[in-house]
Amino acid sequence: MLILRTASGTLIDVEVFVNAGYGYEVRCELVGETGTVQLDTPSATVARRGGGTTRSLPMDWRPRFAEAYRAELQHWVDGARRANPPAPSPAATAWDGYVATYLAQACVQAFETGGPVAIELPNRPALYQP
């Protein structure tokens, strides 16, 4: 469990469970002061029998994210084939990966020390400005 405080003072708690023996599942819910937002579950077959319902879950990430990885790779291949590659997609950039790594390192430091860790990111390079 992570507890984060934004620069504006908003508290965020993140609960992560990565060893579910029943299958691979991604759930996310944002709970706010006036309502909630929840990721929808991917389409799945639901079986109804014996007074109950069941929905199968895959055992790894591939069924959930295969199409996203395929589309990302295709975007890259299409860009490599053109003299004028398409503009970058609005998806994650190398800067986003850097920030995620920076934050993960701070989380490890907080875990090891048992206390809060202030995070001050370096300025975003011009290359990654929106």
Side-chain angles (χ1 to χ4, degrees):
M1 177 168 203
L2 302 171
I3 299 174
L4 310 168
R5 182 184 308 272
T6 66
S8 66
T10 301
L11 284 176
I12 302 166
D13 76 88
V14 180
E15 300 171 33
V16 179
F17 178 59
V18 295
N19 295 317
Y22 60 84
Y24 185 84
E25 184 174 31
V26 174
R27 288 188 283 168
C28 181
E29 182 176 12
L30 174 63
V31 178
E33 293 180 16
T34 61
T36 67
V37 177
Q38 187 176 38
L39 284 179
D40 200 6
T41 56
S43 298
T45 301
V46 176
R48 290 180 172 82
R49 64 176 178 259
T53 61
T54 59
R55 179 174 61 96
S56 64
L57 293 172
M59 293 310 291
D60 64 27
W61 59 271
R62 287 174 284 191
R64 173 88 187 229
F65 296 108
E67 179 57 24
Y69 278 100
R70 189 209 60 75
E72 180 180 28
L73 182 57
Q74 188 63 58
H75 181 80
W76 183 85
V77 168
D78 292 346
R81 286 182 173 164
R82 294 187 180 129
N84 295 321
S89 70
T93 66
W95 175 252
D96 297 315
Y98 173 80
V99 170
T101 301
Y102 199 92
L103 297 176
Q105 289 173 333
C107 290
V108 169
Q109 183 181 354
F111 177 76
E112 290 173 344
T113 64
V117 173
I119 298 171
E120 293 189 31
L121 292 171
N123 292 330
R124 183 187 314 207
L127 172 65
Y128 299 110
Q129 295 298 332

